[in-house]
Amino acid sequence: MGVALFTLGGTIAMTGSSGGVVSRLTGAELTTAVPGLADLGVPLDVRDAHAVPSANLTFRQVLDVVVAASTAVTDGAAGVVVTQGTDTLEETAFLADLVWPHAEPLVFTGAMRNPTLAGADGPANLLAAVRVAASSAARDLGTLVVFNDEVHAARWVRKTHSTSTATFASPNVGPIGHVIEERVRVLTRPARREPLPLPAETASLDATRVALYPLTLDDDGLLLDGLTETHHGLVVAGYGVGHVPSALAPVLGTLAERIPVVLTSRTGSGSVLRHTYGAIGSETDLLRRGLVDGGLLDPYKARVLLRLLIATGAGRDTVAEAFARHG
Ligand code: ASP
């Protein structure tokens, strides 16, 4: 059985010009540059979706690719690979994971070194991604990120370095598998969760605005003024285990009466707490004021989940339940 390959631009597809590299290579050009790919015995159905830096991707474009990937699987593909820029890959892969309903793997990959550089990593990443997408060992794992011969669960993976080819890591758990020689070795199998519904209309997704607010030292919170006029939800990236300055606690509490406000940590790994600290502005205080516990979700993933939920009409209780399940 074959694998469907969707290309979405990014460094993996970039090539030189005097002003710097830009996304230009087609899927056919990408695949011919991969030694060993043709010998895998995995027919590839290559589709060029968007040739853009990943900074330009939208939720809608990503969900359109997920829908097309889903059709490819229904039509018989053993799995799907998506190539894209690495900058937003942790968010796009998580978005896809939230709605992916199939046992067949949906695998995201990209590159840190563009094809004009010595040691370009795109070919190795693409080869490993196709191996994983075609592997029965990767079934029922949801959406995966394959990079640097590691297999990461989309729900946990982060881009952790601006230039390293080992940039993708899952700080709370590590990779769930590896590609070793030609074999896909899965070491741990996270339980799947029910897929969330897709937004019925483009308009509801495009019109849904969710803000992300990272707390910083001596923060006066002025940026939060009037937020409910423009936004439908807020993710707070609090200090440490989920703290804010005491003066901001009532401000966030008032916001939480009007829109869903999710509490996460700005630290990059670990969870927010629920009932350890007791001061004004602590996690206990903020949850009592109506903020939603973001659990282990990092702020970027929490924002993806919250926007998807609000775009599908979820109210506060549904939002809290979904974060209890995914966070
Ligand atoms: N700026 C690029 C992008 O995300 C970086 C990359 O692909 O690694 O499109």
Side-chain angles (χ1 to χ4, degrees):
M1 273 201 298
V3 163
L5 169 64
F6 292 83
T7 69
L8 288 176
T11 293
I12 191 169
M14 291 194 185
T15 189
S17 71
S18 52
V21 291
V22 292
S23 296
R24 194 178 283 157
L25 298 178
T26 62
E29 287 167 321
L30 283 188
T31 52
T32 34
V34 182
L37 187 59
D39 306 327
L40 277 188
V42 177
L44 287 180
D45 173 10
V46 182
R47 322 214 191 150
D48 294 316
H50 305 284
V52 292
S54 73
N56 293 358
L57 290 171
T58 65
F59 274 51
R60 174 50 53 198
Q61 286 171 331
V62 174
L63 292 178
D64 285 348
V65 168
V66 173
V67 169
S70 185
T71 305
V73 163
T74 309
D75 291 345
V80 179
V81 173
V82 179
T83 61
Q84 68 155 88
T86 60
D87 290 345
T88 60
L89 197 150
E90 64 191 289
E91 288 158 271
T92 58
F94 181 63
L95 174 60
D97 192 45
L98 289 172
V99 297
W100 185 245
H102 302 285
E104 288 79 357
L106 173 57
V107 180
F108 282 68
T109 195
M112 293 299 287
R113 295 192 186 135
N114 73 67
T116 70
L117 297 176
D121 53 335
N125 288 339
L126 183 51
L127 182 63
V130 172
R131 281 194 201 285
V132 172
S135 168
S136 57
R139 286 177 68 84
D140 270 320
L141 293 173
T143 300
L144 301 168
V145 173
V146 173
F147 221 92
N148 208 27
D149 281 343
E150 292 182 343
V151 183
H152 293 268
R155 63 205 270 192
W156 292 320
V157 77
R158 305 291 317 269
K159 182 173 181 178
T160 63
H161 195 284
S162 60
T163 56
S164 168
T165 54
T167 184
F168 283 96
S170 302
N172 290 318
V173 283
I176 63 165
H178 298 269
V179 180
I180 303 170
E181 296 178 322
E182 72 284 358
R183 283 206 296 164
V184 177
R185 304 294 308 271
V186 175
L187 307 180
T188 184
R189 308 188 68 85
R192 294 288 301 274
R193 287 158 306 191
E194 280 294 301
L196 294 174
L198 289 165
E201 296 160 20
T202 304
S204 59
L205 186 58
D206 293 347
T208 302
R209 287 210 183 85
V210 173
L212 170 55
Y213 188 80
L215 272 300
T216 51
L217 182 66
D218 201 12
D219 199 324
D220 65 6
L222 195 64
L223 273 175
L224 296 169
D225 270 8
L227 190 86
T228 54
E229 307 304 315
T230 50
H231 288 74
H232 307 93
L234 170 66
V235 173
V236 174
Y239 313 120
V241 296
H243 293 179
V244 306
S246 52
L248 289 194
V251 175
L252 292 172
T254 304
L255 284 172
E257 285 166 15
R258 304 193 43 200
I259 57 174
V261 180
V262 176
L263 182 63
T264 64
S265 169
R266 69 175 200 171
T267 58
S269 60
S271 170
V272 285
L273 293 181
R274 293 194 283 188
H275 51 67
T276 296
Y277 293 88
I280 307 290
S282 68
E283 80 287 355
T284 313
D285 177 47
L286 294 172
L287 297 180
R288 197 171 40 226
R289 291 175 193 266
L291 274 71
V292 174
D293 173 11
L296 279 158
L297 284 181
D298 65 70
Y300 306 108
K301 288 191 182 62
R303 182 182 168 275
V304 168
L305 175 57
L306 186 55
R307 187 170 179 208
L308 184 66
L309 290 167
I310 295 173
T312 50
R316 198 191 171 286
D317 289 349
T318 311
V319 166
E321 277 163 29
F323 273 88
R325 236 175 309 124
H326 293 267

